[in-house]
């Protein structure tokens, strides 16, 4: 079947799955037919001076490429898994270390890509099923391209040229018009999050004081009922773990330690922005708070509230507040979430911290969408606001939803049901099936992804830093989490396709990690990965 027929069939399937609405899996972005950004091709057309070691072909001389034996290339899918730690994302970037950069280098080193084609991945028709951001992992992902696969041992040889955190599971032949991005039906992601992320903000934090003050204006009974199982958490921590430290301090030090976090940090900073060594007493108090969070074990009522929040994402909704650069009037902001659940093995304890595994299955995702969905659910539960706030976020008003840390996100696998139904019968090709590598994937996922996530949280406390930043953010950007709701915060949505500058500035300030601004603007509508 030719590509145009596949495209029409895909459109019919999307309309049927999405209740009569065609939600395309790809946006109007500067991507060429082979899946590489025009930015990359423009750099290549201007010469190799801007390239680095991610352009492996620059090492070959003209004589080497001229006398190389020509071998046939075949269109294939390559099923891969990787840990994104230490990488600037999946997509090839000539200036950064990326997953595709290392994969392409391994293909060249093993002869799967010829020397003459090694200087430009566009010659191999490279495309990816799902792009993942900086630090995001994948137990299963797919790229499609043209490779030389005469060697029956090619998979083993490629893996020998890759670091342990990147694996090729298998390679399968496809028809020549195959494009893994266009023919992917849906994608399944997992997000690992510590259960302490569903604890309420500390009562002395700005957000903690804000939500309580607003609730006291007429919703205190409702607020207390929604927070019933955690109302005594912070008073008990103060009494049992913090007060024994505080009681040993002199009055001046005690007053300094008990200041709200944002005020204390501003006073600690010197004129040149450098922070002096932290007060030992303050360090002890912070450690006590952190240990209390790490020791938290979620109540069954709290767990059910998380489930109830995630269910509200199911179906087709307008997710303009869950990405960047889209207005509420943009049709492409509508996405279909098939399911969002807590995995059966949750909660579980790893490295002394209790975790939840969240699984989301959707047709396609916009940039940052999953991380913002997780953050919104966590914020609604922890602040005790009505969960209907999630439904309200699909409306016309613009609100600032932060991105949960990328550390916890991984692509489980893409789904190719429609292609697989025809692969054997019509194309005489094997299905795209990760099930054949189940044991290998499970062992890799535990060693290179799960254990790495647990270690990073244990050492860096990334989730705690993310929540502390939000709880002490000095603007009124999170007033929508109060009992009053979105009308207390929201800005009217602009009709010109851009969010208000105020919203964009806030989202930049509350990000938990450094982002490449220029790269972000050039990838506004790309998949979450």
């Amino acid at each position: 079947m030719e590509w145009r027929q596949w495209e029409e069939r895909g459109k019919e399937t999307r309309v049927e799955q999405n209740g009569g609405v065609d939600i395309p899996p790809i946006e109007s972005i500067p991507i060429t037919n082979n899946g590489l950004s025009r930015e990359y091709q423009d750099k290549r057309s201007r010469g190799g001076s801007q390239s680095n070691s991610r352009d492996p072909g620059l090492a070959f001389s003209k004589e080497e490429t001229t006398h190389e034996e020509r071998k046939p290339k075949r269109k294939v899918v390559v099923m891969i898994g990787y840990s994104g730690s230490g990488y600037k994302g999946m997509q090839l970037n000539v200036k950064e270390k990326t997953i595709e950069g290392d994969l392409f280098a391994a293909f060249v080193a093993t002869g799967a890509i010829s020397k003459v084609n090694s200087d430009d991945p566009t010659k191999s028709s490279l495309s990816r099923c799902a792009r993942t951001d900086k630090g995001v992992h994948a137990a299963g992902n797919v790229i499609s391209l043209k490779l030389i696969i005469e060697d029956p041992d090619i998979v083993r040889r490629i893996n020998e040229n890759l670091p342990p955190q990147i694996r090729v599971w298998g390679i399968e032949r496809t028809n020549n018009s195959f494009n893994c991005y266009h023919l992917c039906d849906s994608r399944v992601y997992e997000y690992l999050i510590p259960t302490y992320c569903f604890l309420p903000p500390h009562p002395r934090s700005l957000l903690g004081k804000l939500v309580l003050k607003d609730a006291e204006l007429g919703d205190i009974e409702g607020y207390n009922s929604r927070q019933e199982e955690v109302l005594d958490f912070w008073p008990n921590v103060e009494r049992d773990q913090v007060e024994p430290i505080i009681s040993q301090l002199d009055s001046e030090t005690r007053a300094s330690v008990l200041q709200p976090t944002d005020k204390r940090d501003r006073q600690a900073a010197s004129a040149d922005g450098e922070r002096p060594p932290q007060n030992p007493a303050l360090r002890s108090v912070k450690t006590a708070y952190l240990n209390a969070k790490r020791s938290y074990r979620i109540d069954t009522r709290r767990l059910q509230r998380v489930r109830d929040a995630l269910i509200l994402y199911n179906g087709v909704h307008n997710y303009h507040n869950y990405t960047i650069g889209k207005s509420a009037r943009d049709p492409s902001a509508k996405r279909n979430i098939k399911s969002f659940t807590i995995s059966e093995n949750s909660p579980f304890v790893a490295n002394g911290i209790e975790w939840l595994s969240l699984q989301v299955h959707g047709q396609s995702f916009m940039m940052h969408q999953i991380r913002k969905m997780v953050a919104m659910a966590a914020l609604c539960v922890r602040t005790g606001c009505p969960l209907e706030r999630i439904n309200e976020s699909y409306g016309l008003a613009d609100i600032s939803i932060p991105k949960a840390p990328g550390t916890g996100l991984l692509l489980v696998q893409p789904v190719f049901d429609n292609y697989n139904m025809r692969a054997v019968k019509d194309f005489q090709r094997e299905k795209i099936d990760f099930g054949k590598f189940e044991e290998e994937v499970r062992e890799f996922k535990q060693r290179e992804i799960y254990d790495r996530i647990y270690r990073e949280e244990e050492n860096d406390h990334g989730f705690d830093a993310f929540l502390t930043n939000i709880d002490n953010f000095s603007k009124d950007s999170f007033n929508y989490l109060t009992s009053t709701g979105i009308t207390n915060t929201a800005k009217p949505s602009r009709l010109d396709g851009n969010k208000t500058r105020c919203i964009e500035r806030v989202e930049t300030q509350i990000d938990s990690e450094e982002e490449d601004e220029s790269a972000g603007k050039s990838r506004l509508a790309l998949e979450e990965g």
Side-chain angles (χ1 to χ4, degrees), residues 106-291:
F107 293 154
V108 174
T110 55
I113 290 178
S114 64
K115 296 175 182 177
V116 72
N117 290 332
S118 64
D119 64 334
D120 188 353
T122 64
K123 297 177 182 178
S124 298
S125 303
L126 174 65
S127 66
R128 68 204 57 79
C129 177
R131 179 193 62 81
T132 51
D133 288 336
K134 170 187 173 185
V136 176
H137 320 288
N141 200 351
V142 166
I143 61 173
S144 57
L145 74 167
K146 296 176 181 179
L147 290 182
I148 300 167
I149 55 172
E150 293 178 337
D151 184 354
D153 207 23
I154 190 64
V155 171
R156 180 189 62 79
R157 293 181 56 226
I158 290 172
N159 281 327
E160 288 177 349
N161 284 272
L162 288 169
Q165 69 186 88
I166 304 177
R167 292 292 89 183
V168 170
W169 305 126
I171 298 176
E172 300 289 359
R173 287 282 305 277
T174 66
N175 58 313
N176 289 333
S177 62
F178 183 87
N179 182 296
C180 64
Y181 189 95
H182 295 294
L183 296 181
C184 179
D185 299 316
S186 58
R187 297 152 178 89
V188 180
Y189 285 84
E190 180 178 12
Y191 193 93
L192 296 184
I193 183 170
T195 58
Y196 72 71
C197 293
F198 301 100
L199 283 169
H202 192 281
R204 286 201 304 272
S205 70
L206 293 181
L207 185 58
K209 290 187 286 189
L210 173 68
V211 295
L212 181 58
K213 180 179 179 181
D214 192 89
E216 289 173 342
L217 297 178
D219 185 42
I220 192 62
E221 289 186 7
Y223 173 81
N224 285 339
S225 68
R226 294 187 293 269
Q227 299 282 57
E228 181 180 5
E229 65 274 9
V230 291
L231 284 176
D232 61 350
F233 177 82
W234 287 116
N236 289 346
V237 170
E238 295 290 340
R239 182 194 65 213
D240 300 335
Q241 301 183 46
V242 176
E243 186 55 36
I245 300 173
I246 298 296
S247 63
Q248 305 298 318
L249 305 178
D250 60 70
S251 57
E252 183 177 348
T253 305
R254 180 188 179 96
S256 174
V257 168
L258 291 177
Q259 283 182 357
T261 304
D262 66 311
K263 182 178 180 181
R264 183 173 61 222
D265 288 348
R266 284 199 304 269
Q267 291 180 351
S270 59
D272 61 359
E274 295 292 328
R275 295 185 184 276
Q278 195 175 81
N279 184 307
L282 177 58
R283 188 183 305 115
S284 297
V285 170
K286 285 188 172 183
T287 299
Y289 284 135
L290 184 60
N291 288 340

Side-chain angles (χ1 to χ4, degrees), residues 503-528:
I503 293 286
E504 291 183 343
R505 282 198 301 270
V506 167
E507 291 181 359
T508 299
Q509 286 177 283
I510 60 181
D511 278 349
S512 62
E513 64 186 35
E514 203 174 290
E515 293 286 348
D516 184 338
E517 184 177 354
S518 61
K521 289 181 179 178
S522 69
R523 305 179 316 208
L524 294 183
L526 281 171
E527 298 272 327
E528 170 77 310

Side-chain angles (χ1 to χ4, degrees), residues 315-352:
V316 178
H317 300 292
N318 187 335
Y319 286 97
H320 72 99
N321 279 316
Y322 293 80
T323 186
I324 58 175
K326 288 188 183 293
S327 75
R329 310 287 185 178
D330 189 336
S332 67
K334 290 185 177 181
R335 299 286 155 146
N336 179 22
I337 303 302
K338 298 174 181 294
S339 64
F340 207 153
T341 60
I342 299 175
S343 301
E344 292 182 0
N345 68 330
S346 295
F348 59 91
V349 176
N351 292 19

Side-chain angles (χ1 to χ4, degrees), residues 441-479:
V441 171
R442 181 184 295 113
E443 187 276 333
F444 173 85
K445 188 161 56 173
Q446 185 65 52
R447 183 188 72 250
E448 295 293 341
I449 299 179
Y450 290 157
D451 289 348
R452 195 181 296 264
I453 292 173
Y454 305 147
R455 287 196 305 271
E456 289 181 2
E457 173 59 19
E458 183 179 23
N459 296 331
D460 303 332
H461 319 305
F463 284 94
D464 180 61
F466 167 71
L467 296 174
T468 299
N469 191 17
I470 291 173
D471 291 351
N472 294 285
F473 194 70
S474 59
K475 304 290 192 302
D476 62 356
S477 306
F478 300 115
N479 286 17

Side-chain angles (χ1 to χ4, degrees), residues 354-411:
E354 186 180 62
W355 297 78
L356 295 183
S357 167
L358 313 180
Q359 293 254 1
V360 58
H361 183 191
Q363 182 188 344
S364 62
F365 299 91
M366 295 177 290
M367 190 177 188
H368 305 324
Q369 181 183 339
I370 297 174
R371 292 164 62 185
K372 285 176 176 276
M373 291 167 72
V374 171
M376 183 65 171
L379 289 174
C380 286
V381 171
R382 66 194 301 267
T383 58
C385 78
L387 296 184
E388 289 75 18
R389 199 72 76 246
I390 293 176
N391 287 329
E392 295 169 8
S393 72
Y394 306 140
L396 295 180
D398 288 339
I399 60 174
S400 297
I401 302 176
K403 304 192 302 286
T407 307
L409 181 62
L410 67 124
L411 172 62

